[in-house]
Amino acid sequence: MLTISRLAAYAGVTVRAVRHYHQIGLLPEPERDRSGYRIYDAAAVVRLIRIRSLADAGVPLARVQELLGAGPEEFADGVQEIDKDLRAEIRRLQDTRRRLARLAAGEHLALPQSVVDYLDRLRGLGVEERYIEMERDAWIMIAAQVPHRIDAVIAKKHEELDDPDMVKLYGILDEALDWPVDDLRMVEIADLLERLMIRAVEAGEVGGDDGIDDQFVDLLDSTMAESSPGAARLLAILEERGWKGWTRIERVPADRLDTELPPS
């Protein structure tokens, strides 16, 4: 007859593990001697070794009980089912590792790859990191609101970057973060923006359902207006010309569509 410590040693487990197996019902509690100590026999050693072998093979303890009492065919089916579950878990963990690796790059946090690629393109155009960080935060919010549309939206943004006026606008906006509110160059930015807005109107790209509610549009607009001293002034200039809205153009001044704006 064996004590619990000797049983654990023969089976290659700890005494704590033996007690845990008792607690969850995997290893039946043995009789106790007159002194109150558990007394184990050879059958307990065999069962404990089988438990340990199954656990070491990756079988969840919740499934060990059914396999211990299974016949050969049922045991084989059970093992295959566990293997299937383990392979699914491995795929999940591999996907988690890929996500963690992407997070190490920083911008992949809460952003799809299409947006990350777009931000990288802005870097390639020489846009400074502080402005890119502002865009990144806005895209994080937008991507969360319209995840099913974000790739199409970004594809359109890539098309817009083929326009020299858009590239020039990014360059000036980058510099404008430090301009005072009354800087006359704000008019140049307004002219650029208005040219781009007019082209969007003429191309039929203004209006329609963008999938974003009005309150969220207001949030994005207010964030932009508060981003730098000149941002609110720029919006005011455009509103003086009849335009309203930043994230979404809400009013189009018909008289401005035929206005001859300064060339690029």
Side-chain angles (χ1 to χ4, degrees):
M1 295 298 172
L2 306 171
T3 62
I4 190 171
S5 59
R6 182 58 61 185
L7 168 70
Y10 286 158
V13 300
T14 64
V15 170
R16 184 178 179 180
V18 175
R19 292 190 175 122
H20 179 63
Y21 295 152
H22 283 323
Q23 186 177 9
I24 64 177
L26 279 180
L27 186 66
E29 287 268 8
E31 294 182 0
R32 296 175 181 266
D33 62 14
R34 292 180 180 179
S35 300
Y37 292 104
R38 297 183 182 91
I39 299 299
Y40 300 89
D41 57 15
V45 177
V46 172
R47 184 174 180 86
L48 188 53
I49 290 173
R50 294 182 66 198
I51 292 171
R52 188 207 68 196
S53 299
L54 289 169
D56 288 349
V59 176
L61 290 181
R63 304 290 302 275
V64 168
Q65 183 70 41
E66 64 183 86
L67 292 182
L68 286 173
E73 185 175 345
E74 186 181 357
F75 184 89
D77 290 342
V79 168
Q80 288 182 0
E81 184 178 345
I82 292 169
D83 181 62
K84 179 181 177 181
D85 292 341
L86 286 174
R87 281 186 277 117
E89 179 65 9
I90 288 170
R91 288 193 295 271
R92 186 190 69 79
L93 291 173
Q94 288 174 334
D95 182 61
T96 298
R97 290 193 65 208
R98 284 192 291 269
R99 288 172 180 268
L100 287 172
R102 290 173 59 198
L103 289 179
E107 282 170 351
H108 287 84
L109 179 61
L111 279 179
Q113 185 63 47
S114 60
V115 179
V116 174
D117 291 342
Y118 177 71
L119 296 177
D120 284 342
R121 185 174 176 185
L122 293 184
R123 289 188 179 92
L125 293 173
V127 179
E128 291 187 10
E129 200 63 32
R130 57 178 180 163
Y131 185 84
I132 289 177
E133 288 177 1
M134 292 169 49
E135 280 235 357
R136 177 201 62 202
D137 291 347
W139 286 118
I140 286 174
M141 293 189 288
I142 294 171
Q145 296 300 309
V146 287
H148 57 295
R149 296 189 180 187
I150 191 64
D151 288 347
V153 171
I154 291 298
K156 180 59 183 174
K157 294 295 291 184
H158 276 291
E159 291 179 11
E160 292 175 358
L161 282 180
D162 293 332
D163 187 327
D165 272 347
M166 181 62 76
V167 175
K168 184 177 181 181
L169 175 65
Y170 266 113
I172 298 178
L173 286 176
D174 197 12
E175 300 172 2
L177 293 176
D178 298 322
W179 292 353
V181 67
D182 57 350
D183 195 301
L184 296 178
R185 289 173 293 179
M186 287 295 173
V187 175
E188 181 183 358
I189 298 181
D191 289 342
L192 272 170
L193 275 168
E194 192 167 15
R195 279 198 295 271
L196 292 166
M197 287 175 171
I198 289 173
R199 289 171 197 163
V201 171
E202 292 174 343
E205 297 169 358
V206 173
D209 180 20
D210 55 17
I212 302 176
D213 62 52
D214 294 341
Q215 187 175 8
F216 187 70
V217 170
D218 290 341
L219 173 64
L220 292 176
D221 284 357
S222 63
T223 300
M224 184 273 171
E226 296 166 3
S227 63
S228 70
R233 174 57 183 152
L234 176 59
L235 293 177
I237 293 173
L238 290 171
E239 192 158 349
E240 289 169 4
R241 297 180 181 185
W243 300 91
K244 181 174 170 48
W246 177 263
T247 304
R248 176 198 296 151
I249 298 176
E250 299 176 2
R251 187 171 69 240
V252 179
D255 60 316
R256 297 294 293 181
L257 298 183
D258 297 324
T259 300
E260 186 68 28
L261 294 173
S264 308

